[in-house]
Every structure is written in structure tokens, then in C-alpha cells.
Amino acid sequence: MMIRKVWKLARRPVGDIADSDLELVNEALPELADGQFLLAVIYMSLDPTNRIWMSDQEQYMPPVELGAPMRAGVCGRVVASRKSGVEPGQIMAGLGEWADHIISDGSFMSPLLQLPGVPLAASYGTLALVGPTAYFGLLDIGQPKPGETLVVSAAAGGVGQIVGQIGKIKGCRVIGIAGGKAKCDYVVNELGFDACIDYKNEDVGAALDRLAPGGIDINFEQVGGPIMVEVMKRMKLFGRISLCGMISSYNDVTPTEPPGFWTMILMRRLLIRGFIVTDFAPRFGESGMALAGWMLGGQLKTRQDIRPGLENAVSAVKELYTGGNFGKLLIEVSKP
């Protein structure tokens, strides 16, 4: 009988995530049934949506139940299989748990495309969830055209870094918003953004007036709050907003929305669409091929922020909500 380590949701957070909200336990795994396989987790993805899953608010998936394993995107190696078409040694990625081993029937799991010369962390961190989120959120909703101005909040994060580079591939002028000089220098000097606003040390509105005096065509929004307000004020007629996330309010006990948006949306004829990456699941093959092609062609770079040890998952996930991560945040549960 195999014993696994797994984080379980002990209580729903009130405000910021507390250490006591989750509990790391040892538990026995049952024997594999027909149609199942055992996955040894290599990388576990930490994403802003983790905080939503911990709550009981209205959301796009059922909330994680109290006492149940915490949900996560994972990548791992098959160590045993009783499922046709899945063999030991195969690398699989999909929806799993905060655990070192997972039993799956293959639902929400698929083989991970591995690119020659690209580390597993980069392949997983780019092609799994954040890559499709950036790809469909920008291309399907943002509809970028050459010469347009695109603003990307959380520009140095897992999704934002990819959005900006796709924007450049499509001929846009790209302005990032990130926290701190190091992140801004990275997205401009390494990723090719045209400019980046350090929201921790600059007046965002004044910087936008300087960098986009003619207004903004596309806002890829991940932050919400005062930063989103400043971008919204500068949207052009018929601008488009891809609403990917509102991370600035996820820990708020009594979140409030700035007033007056509906008039602005009407007068500027803005198109705003909220989306979840799973909306585009039937087309993941399309995004995977495009992203892989750009990576192999040197047009797309990504940075992963890898934290070792399953036991560090709770302390690491908190950093998503303070801007403490730099790149796509992953927990290395076991060595690749």
C-alpha cells in the first residue's frame, strides 16, 4: 500500500490565506482499478484561481470541499497504469491535487507535448494552462491588429509574459504593468515589450498618458482595482478588454467595484468579455501547436519561478497575491 502526502482544505480562508487553512497529511492510496493510472507529480502549478477554489463563492467549478484535497494543475510521470493507452514513464498534465502522487482515470489529463531542447518546467509552465489562457484571451477576445496599443497587467507573471509577446508577434505596441524595476526590466529587455510601468513606484495613470497618448485599444486585465480603473479611463472607442482575472480583490472580505464603469462602457462602445481558459478546451491543440512553434522559433520566451518541496505550497501560493512571484509559479514536488 502506497502512502502519499497531500494538502487538504481545513477551512475556508477569510481574507488572506492562513497557514491553518490547509493541512498536509499522509494517507494511504487504494490499489489501482481498471481504467486508472498512478501519477508521480513533478510540478504543481500555483495560480490566482487557487484562492477562488478555496472559497464557496459563485465560480466556474465546484468549490473544493472542506476536508478534500486541494485542487491544482499538475504535471507528472506515470508510474503504474491499468488504463489502455497510458504507459509507465509517460508524462501527463492536467487537473489534479496538491499531492505527491495522484490516482487518475484520465479525466482532465492528457500527454504533455515535450519540445526538443526545452526543459520540462518550461514546456509545462507554458503549454499547459497559462499559454492557452494568453493565446485565446488575446487572440479571440482582444482581436489584436498591427499598430494597436495593448496594455498587459501582471506583465511578468505566467500569463502576462506570454500575452505581451504574442501581442508583439501580431504587430502591437505593448505596454506592461508590473511591480518593481527588476520585473519591468525583464519584460522590456528580455521579452521585447515596448515599455513597462512599475506600479509600485510610478503613477500608473500619468505613465499611461505618457506612453499611450492616443489611448489604448486592448486591455488584457488580470489585476482589477485601481490599476484597471486607470487603464479603463484611457480606452479608445471600440476598445476590447479581455477580463482574465481580478487578483487584487481575491482576498478582500468585502470586495467593492469602482462606480461609473457602465457609462464609460456605453460611451466608448467597449467590448468586455470575461473568460476561463477551459472555455477553449476543445481548441487546446491549436494553441499548443502555435505556442510550440513560437518557442522553437525563438519568438516566445518564458520564465518559471520554481519553488522546491510540496511542503512549501502554502507559503508559496500566498506570494501570488502580493506580487512575490517572478514568472510562472511552480512547486517542484519531485525531480524531473
Side-chain angles (χ1 to χ4, degrees), residues 142-150 171-174 217-218 236 240:
Q143 296 284 324
K145 300 173 184 64
E148 291 191 322
T149 297
L150 162 67
C172 292
R173 172 173 169 76
V174 179
D217 298 285
I218 310 165
K236 291 182 183 179
R240 289 88 69 199

Side-chain angles (χ1 to χ4, degrees), residues 193-205:
F193 285 45
D194 294 283
C196 187
I197 300 168
D198 177 2
Y199 73 85
K200 292 185 176 180
N201 297 294
E202 293 184 74
D203 181 313
V204 173

Side-chain angles (χ1 to χ4, degrees), residues 35-37 78 81-88 90-92 110-111:
Q36 294 182 329
F37 59 88
V78 177
S81 177
R82 294 184 62 183
K83 182 175 179 65
S84 176
V86 177
E87 302 297 332
Q90 194 170 5
I91 300 293
M92 302 287 285
S110 59

Side-chain angles (χ1 to χ4, degrees), residues 49-81:
T49 195
N50 288 159
R51 179 63 181 80
I52 296 175
W53 289 341
M54 293 179 194
S55 75
D56 58 1
Q57 71 181 75
E58 180 181 347
Q59 51 190 282
Y60 58 94
M61 296 180 72
V64 174
E65 296 291 339
L66 292 176
M70 185 56 206
R71 183 186 296 142
V74 299
C75 164
R77 180 173 286 106
V78 177
V79 293
S81 177

Side-chain angles (χ1 to χ4, degrees), residues 69-334:
M70 185 56 206
R71 183 186 296 142
V74 299
C75 164
R77 180 173 286 106
V78 177
V79 293
S81 177
R82 294 184 62 183
K83 182 175 179 65
S84 176
V86 177
E87 302 297 332
Q90 194 170 5
I91 300 293
M92 302 287 285
L95 198 60
E97 300 165 346
W98 287 23
D100 58 2
H101 288 82
I102 296 168
I103 290 177
S104 174
D105 63 3
S107 299
F108 308 107
M109 283 267 181
S110 59
L112 178 67
L113 179 63
Q114 297 179 72
L115 305 177
V118 178
L120 178 61
S123 293
Y124 173 59
T126 304
L127 301 178
L129 289 179
V130 295
T133 300
Y135 179 90
F136 293 112
L138 179 60
L139 298 184
D140 274 49
I141 299 172
Q143 296 284 324
K145 300 173 184 64
E148 291 191 322
T149 297
L150 162 67
V151 171
V152 185
S153 56
V159 174
Q161 59 182 335
I162 300 173
V163 171
Q165 291 177 89
I166 297 176
K168 291 302 297 180
I169 290 169
K170 297 300 180 181
C172 292
R173 172 173 169 76
V174 179
I175 301 169
I177 302 175
K181 185 177 185 300
K183 291 182 179 180
C184 284
D185 286 348
Y186 169 71
V187 300
V188 172
N189 299 330
E190 295 293 323
L191 303 185
F193 285 45
D194 294 283
C196 187
I197 300 168
D198 177 2
Y199 73 85
K200 292 185 176 180
N201 297 294
E202 293 184 74
D203 181 313
V204 173
L208 287 170
D209 286 339
R210 183 181 74 254
L211 295 169
I216 297 161
D217 298 285
I218 310 165
N219 175 28
F220 196 97
E221 183 58 57
Q222 303 188 82
V223 173
I227 290 176
M228 182 178 70
V229 172
E230 294 303 319
V231 178
M232 287 277 287
K233 288 178 181 177
R234 293 158 177 86
M235 295 295 296
K236 291 182 183 179
L237 291 179
F238 304 107
R240 289 88 69 199
I241 299 175
S242 299
L243 188 55
C244 179
M246 306 277 280
I247 194 171
S248 66
S249 64
Y250 287 174
N251 288 327
D252 289 354
V253 176
T254 55
T256 58
E257 294 184 5
F261 272 11
W262 292 109
T263 299
M264 186 184 301
I265 292 166
L266 170 62
M267 296 306 171
R268 299 192 187 174
R269 291 76 131 185
L270 301 180
L271 171 66
I272 302 176
R273 177 175 163 188
F275 74 100
I276 304 297
V277 66
T278 49
D279 299 343
F280 299 95
R283 294 171 56 198
F284 277 5
E286 172 192 334
S287 64
M289 292 300 292
L291 293 162
W294 289 327
M295 290 179 76
L296 293 174
Q299 295 171 281
L300 180 64
K301 304 176 184 177
T302 59
R303 175 179 177 134
Q304 286 69 48
D305 186 339
I306 302 173
R307 311 294 178 89
L310 179 65
E311 67 276 8
N312 296 317
V314 175
S315 60
V317 76
K318 295 177 186 179
E319 297 196 32
L320 287 170
Y321 311 100
T322 61
N325 63 301
F326 192 165
K328 176 68 194 85
L329 188 57
L330 300 173
I331 291 290
E332 185 180 83
V333 179
S334 63

